[in-house]
């Protein structure tokens, strides 16, 4: 595989000057590239380029023109599909099939969806009559949407291109200028995206990319910059809190997609085989490194033992799974495996580091793990681990299931497994989560609202919800 060459992209120019840091493969720990670390000056020049773009052709562009750019970007990613897949696999170590069927197709889909959604978006008009007013007593009120201006986009490493483009596409569609910073762990597909945007002829400065770390580095320089008009962030809740503190200085609006500790509720009337397979997917896909993954499973007592046995059996036989993103993250997940035991858990599957007998033994792998026996108050049950692990506990009735599901600082996603239609409709709205799946997991429609409650986020993305965040409605009132 060719070495990855991440580069900043500021005002239409690629550069790699200054300090760098190594990019490691999570599969075997080898170095696969070198990443430039953006200084405060690089970030500042990106923000200034974005501001200037708003005063130039990009700022004067109409929705048709912007949608045409979005379609060209989608076509550009499609034309270099294999290159994007290679880069995403090199950075994350995720199974190639996952990158080829989820990450890169969804990135293409994000640009096409926002081209359609923003082009077809109506504005409102209200004919107004005020009896007793001078003249005709009539006015026409209408709404126009204005972009927010310079938007900072900060994205995580788990679904690098998918989550970056999920924000970049609606931000550009709405007419903003973007400064994006991908995770320091996964800079490669973001750089390819900048190349595609450049090739698509998007005016200089409308999209800028800077690389580097988060705290006391590029991420913080960007999110505390006085020239940034809005911040869209996906990542950990603690990072969201730090960004919010910086954003407060300039009252900068934020859209946050944060962490989760997602519950699954398995009722005794569920199709058990389906519930087990669904939980295998929801707990172990991408080795649990998806914000929507299930880490808490509650099973109704009559089927509890059977469920735990079947889930543990499947966890033990999983073969084609990827590594943790970094040695640091592997160590964090393993520390939770040890903590679970210290807290009194029974490890019914996994719990350690796999041995492959090949180069992967130098990589950052942990075993898919199933735990039982912990109280609801255990840290292992309350804190986001972000690895291939779930804790399974029994419940007796519907009210208890809902109480356990909601007993969490987080509220991103939940899954309900039942064949009782009335129960599904009763339970789903009572679970404190932004997304509740019934008899499925991660079935997504890009038009639907996406986001969390409690510590899992602020605001919604998806469909019109993203366009709402990335633009401001302005009321114009014309007296007739
Ligand atoms: P992270 O918060 O450590 O980093 C995310 C991004 O923020 C990176 O680009 C990082 O460089 C930057 N960053 C870090 N500190 C910063 C600071 N002080 N100021 C500005 N930027 C800073 O998260 P991660 O480890 O990359 O990703 C995993 C986390 O993301 C998990 O908590 C997961 O649940 C969450 N996540 C949420 C969603 C969602 O849609 N809700 C999706 C994916 C991941």
């Amino acid at each position: 595989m060719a070495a990855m060459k991440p580069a900043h992209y500021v005002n239409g120019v690629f550069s790699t000057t200054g300090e760098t840091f190594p990019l490691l493969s999570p599969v075997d720990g080898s170095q696969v590239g070198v990443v430039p670390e953006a200084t405060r000056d690089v970030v500042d020049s990106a923000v200034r380029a974005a501001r200037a773009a708003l005063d130039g052709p990009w700022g004067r562009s109409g929705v048709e023109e912007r949608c045409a750019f979005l379609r060209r970007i989608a076509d550009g990613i499609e034309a270099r599909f294999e290159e994007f897949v290679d880069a995403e696999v090199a950075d994350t170590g995720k199974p190639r099939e996952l990158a080829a069927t989820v990450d890169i197709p969804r990135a293409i889909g994000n640009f096409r969806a926002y081209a359609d959604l923003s082009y077809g978006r109506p504005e409102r008009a209200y004919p107004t009559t005020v009896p007793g007013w001078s003249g005709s007593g009539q006015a026409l009120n209408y709404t126009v949407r204005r972009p927010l201006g310079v938007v900072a986009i900060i994205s995580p490493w788990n679904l690098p291109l998918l989550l970056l483009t999920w924000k970049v596409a609606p931000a550009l569609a709405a007419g903003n200028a973007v400064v994006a910073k991908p995770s320091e762990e996964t800079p490669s597909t973001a750089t390819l995206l900048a190349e595609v945007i450049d090739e698509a002829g998007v005016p200089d400065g409308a999209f800028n990319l800077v690389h580097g770390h988060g705290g006391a580095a590029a991420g913080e320089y960007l999110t505390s910059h006085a020239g940034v008009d809005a911040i869209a962030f996906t990542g950990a809740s603690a990072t969201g809190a730090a960004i919010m503190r910086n954003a407060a200085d300039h009252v900068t609006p934020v859209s946050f997609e944060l962490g989760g500790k997602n519950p699954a509720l398995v009722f005794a009337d569920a199709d058990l085989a389906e519930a087990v397979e669904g939980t295998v997917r929801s707990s172990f896909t991408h080795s649990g490194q998806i914000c929507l993954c299930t880490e808490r499973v509650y099973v109704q007592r009559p089927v509890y033992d059977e469920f735990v046995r079947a889930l543990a059996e499947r966890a033990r036989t999983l073969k084609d799974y990827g590594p943790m993103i970094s040695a640091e993250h592997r160590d964090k997940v393993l520390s939770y495996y040890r903590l679970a035991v210290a807290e009194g858990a029974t490890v019914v599957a996994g719990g350690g580091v796999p041995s492959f007998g090949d180069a992967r033994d130098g990589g950052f792998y942990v075993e898919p793990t199933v735990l039982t026996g912990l109280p609801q108050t255990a840290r292992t049950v309350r804190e986001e681990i972000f690895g291939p692990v779930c804790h399974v506990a029994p419940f007796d009735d519907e009210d208890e299931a809902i109480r356990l599901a909601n007993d969490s600082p987080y509220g991103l996603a939940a899954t309900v497994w039942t064949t009782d239609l009335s129960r599904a409709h009763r339970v789903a709205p009572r679970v404190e989560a932004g997304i509740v799946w019934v008899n499925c997991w991660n079935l997504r429609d890009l038009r639907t609202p996406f986001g969390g409650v409690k510590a899992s986020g602020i605001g919604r993305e998806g469909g019109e919800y993203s366009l709402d965040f990335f633009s401001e409605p302005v009321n114009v009132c014309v007296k007739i």
Side-chain angles (χ1 to χ4, degrees), residues 176-197:
N176 299 281
V178 168
V179 181
K181 192 202 83 65
S183 167
E184 57 275 23
E185 316 274 7
T186 53
S188 300
T189 47
T191 306
L192 291 180
L193 175 69
E195 290 178 16
V196 164
I197 288 177

Tab-separated table of all heavy atoms in Angstrom, residues 176-197:
chain	number	residue	atom	x	y	z
A	176	ASN	N	-22.209	27.931	3.662
A	176	ASN	CA	-21.150	28.308	4.601
A	176	ASN	C	-19.771	28.054	3.995
A	176	ASN	O	-19.644	27.307	3.019
A	176	ASN	CB	-21.260	27.473	5.886
A	176	ASN	CG	-22.575	27.692	6.573
A	176	ASN	OD1	-22.770	28.690	7.259
A	176	ASN	ND2	-23.511	26.773	6.369
A	177	ALA	N	-18.759	28.644	4.605
A	177	ALA	CA	-17.378	28.263	4.303
A	177	ALA	C	-16.880	27.436	5.486
A	177	ALA	O	-17.205	27.737	6.636
A	177	ALA	CB	-16.513	29.489	4.107
A	178	VAL	N	-16.129	26.377	5.172
A	178	VAL	CA	-15.804	25.366	6.177
A	178	VAL	C	-14.305	25.337	6.482
A	178	VAL	O	-13.481	25.434	5.570
A	178	VAL	CB	-16.254	23.973	5.656
A	178	VAL	CG1	-15.693	22.855	6.518
A	178	VAL	CG2	-17.771	23.900	5.563
A	179	VAL	N	-13.988	25.197	7.772
A	179	VAL	CA	-12.634	24.780	8.164
A	179	VAL	C	-12.819	23.478	8.930
A	179	VAL	O	-13.462	23.457	9.986
A	179	VAL	CB	-11.920	25.805	9.057
A	179	VAL	CG1	-10.514	25.303	9.404
A	179	VAL	CG2	-11.857	27.165	8.373
A	180	ALA	N	-12.291	22.383	8.378
A	180	ALA	CA	-12.490	21.071	8.996
A	180	ALA	C	-11.184	20.578	9.605
A	180	ALA	O	-10.105	20.807	9.053
A	180	ALA	CB	-12.979	20.077	7.956
A	181	LYS	N	-11.336	19.898	10.757
A	181	LYS	CA	-10.183	19.208	11.348
A	181	LYS	C	-10.590	17.770	11.656
A	181	LYS	O	-11.376	17.524	12.564
A	181	LYS	CB	-9.702	19.875	12.634
A	181	LYS	CG	-8.332	19.300	13.031
A	181	LYS	CD	-7.996	19.464	14.490
A	181	LYS	CE	-8.598	18.414	15.374
A	181	LYS	NZ	-8.117	17.047	15.169
A	182	PRO	N	-10.065	16.809	10.900
A	182	PRO	CA	-10.364	15.408	11.204
A	182	PRO	C	-9.548	14.952	12.407
A	182	PRO	O	-8.665	15.680	12.867
A	182	PRO	CB	-9.915	14.673	9.945
A	182	PRO	CG	-8.825	15.522	9.382
A	182	PRO	CD	-9.127	16.948	9.772
A	183	SER	N	-9.828	13.770	12.879
A	183	SER	CA	-9.049	13.231	13.997
A	183	SER	C	-7.587	13.054	13.579
A	183	SER	O	-7.287	12.692	12.439
A	183	SER	CB	-9.616	11.875	14.421
A	183	SER	OG	-8.703	11.234	15.286
A	184	GLU	N	-6.697	13.291	14.517
A	184	GLU	CA	-5.262	13.090	14.269
A	184	GLU	C	-4.952	11.627	13.936
A	184	GLU	O	-3.930	11.327	13.333
A	184	GLU	CB	-4.442	13.540	15.482
A	184	GLU	CG	-4.778	12.871	16.818
A	184	GLU	CD	-5.940	13.525	17.568
A	184	GLU	OE1	-6.770	14.205	16.927
A	184	GLU	OE2	-6.015	13.343	18.801
A	185	GLU	N	-5.843	10.709	14.349
A	185	GLU	CA	-5.616	9.274	14.082
A	185	GLU	C	-5.969	8.901	12.640
A	185	GLU	O	-5.510	7.883	12.142
A	185	GLU	CB	-6.504	8.406	14.998
A	185	GLU	CG	-6.569	8.837	16.429
A	185	GLU	CD	-5.427	8.258	17.255
A	185	GLU	OE1	-4.524	7.636	16.661
A	185	GLU	OE2	-5.452	8.442	18.477
A	186	THR	N	-6.835	9.711	11.995
A	186	THR	CA	-7.373	9.310	10.690
A	186	THR	C	-7.428	10.500	9.715
A	186	THR	O	-8.499	10.985	9.360
A	186	THR	CB	-8.801	8.747	10.855
A	186	THR	OG1	-9.579	9.719	11.590
A	186	THR	CG2	-8.818	7.423	11.583
A	187	PRO	N	-6.262	10.954	9.269
A	187	PRO	CA	-6.236	12.153	8.419
A	187	PRO	C	-6.338	11.882	6.915
A	187	PRO	O	-6.468	12.811	6.132
A	187	PRO	CB	-4.854	12.730	8.732
A	187	PRO	CG	-4.018	11.518	9.045
A	187	PRO	CD	-4.927	10.510	9.671
A	188	SER	N	-6.307	10.595	6.505
A	188	SER	CA	-6.031	10.312	5.087
A	188	SER	C	-7.225	10.551	4.167
A	188	SER	O	-7.090	11.210	3.120
A	188	SER	CB	-5.516	8.879	4.933
A	188	SER	OG	-4.321	8.746	5.682
A	189	THR	N	-8.412	10.000	4.525
A	189	THR	CA	-9.540	10.206	3.599
A	189	THR	C	-9.974	11.664	3.572
A	189	THR	O	-10.504	12.139	2.562
A	189	THR	CB	-10.744	9.305	3.938
A	189	THR	OG1	-11.000	9.377	5.351
A	189	THR	CG2	-10.502	7.869	3.516
A	190	ALA	N	-9.726	12.403	4.657
A	190	ALA	CA	-10.059	13.833	4.654
A	190	ALA	C	-9.201	14.555	3.616
A	190	ALA	O	-9.670	15.465	2.920
A	190	ALA	CB	-9.842	14.426	6.046
A	191	THR	N	-7.934	14.131	3.520
A	191	THR	CA	-7.049	14.757	2.534
A	191	THR	C	-7.498	14.409	1.113
A	191	THR	O	-7.513	15.266	0.219
A	191	THR	CB	-5.589	14.304	2.764
A	191	THR	OG1	-5.247	14.572	4.118
A	191	THR	CG2	-4.638	15.041	1.838
A	192	LEU	N	-7.923	13.134	0.908
A	192	LEU	CA	-8.440	12.765	-0.416
A	192	LEU	C	-9.692	13.579	-0.740
A	192	LEU	O	-9.904	13.990	-1.875
A	192	LEU	CB	-8.765	11.265	-0.469
A	192	LEU	CG	-7.574	10.299	-0.420
A	192	LEU	CD1	-8.075	8.853	-0.471
A	192	LEU	CD2	-6.612	10.563	-1.566
A	193	LEU	N	-10.532	13.805	0.296
A	193	LEU	CA	-11.735	14.611	0.079
A	193	LEU	C	-11.356	16.019	-0.377
A	193	LEU	O	-11.973	16.565	-1.303
A	193	LEU	CB	-12.568	14.680	1.363
A	193	LEU	CG	-13.801	15.591	1.291
A	193	LEU	CD1	-14.853	14.999	0.363
A	193	LEU	CD2	-14.404	15.822	2.684
A	194	ALA	N	-10.331	16.605	0.255
A	194	ALA	CA	-9.886	17.945	-0.156
A	194	ALA	C	-9.437	17.926	-1.617
A	194	ALA	O	-9.723	18.859	-2.375
A	194	ALA	CB	-8.758	18.425	0.755
A	195	GLU	N	-8.770	16.836	-2.026
A	195	GLU	CA	-8.348	16.743	-3.433
A	195	GLU	C	-9.565	16.706	-4.357
A	195	GLU	O	-9.601	17.377	-5.390
A	195	GLU	CB	-7.500	15.475	-3.636
A	195	GLU	CG	-6.130	15.561	-2.965
A	195	GLU	CD	-5.306	14.276	-3.129
A	195	GLU	OE1	-5.653	13.441	-4.005
A	195	GLU	OE2	-4.349	14.114	-2.374
A	196	VAL	N	-10.573	15.942	-3.956
A	196	VAL	CA	-11.781	15.829	-4.782
A	196	VAL	C	-12.511	17.182	-4.849
A	196	VAL	O	-12.989	17.590	-5.918
A	196	VAL	CB	-12.703	14.725	-4.206
A	196	VAL	CG1	-14.109	14.832	-4.759
A	196	VAL	CG2	-12.114	13.349	-4.502
A	197	ILE	N	-12.577	17.865	-3.718
A	197	ILE	CA	-13.244	19.173	-3.684
A	197	ILE	C	-12.484	20.158	-4.574
A	197	ILE	O	-13.074	20.956	-5.308
A	197	ILE	CB	-13.358	19.669	-2.217
A	197	ILE	CG1	-14.418	18.832	-1.489
A	197	ILE	CG2	-13.681	21.147	-2.148
A	197	ILE	CD1	-14.601	19.148	-0.010
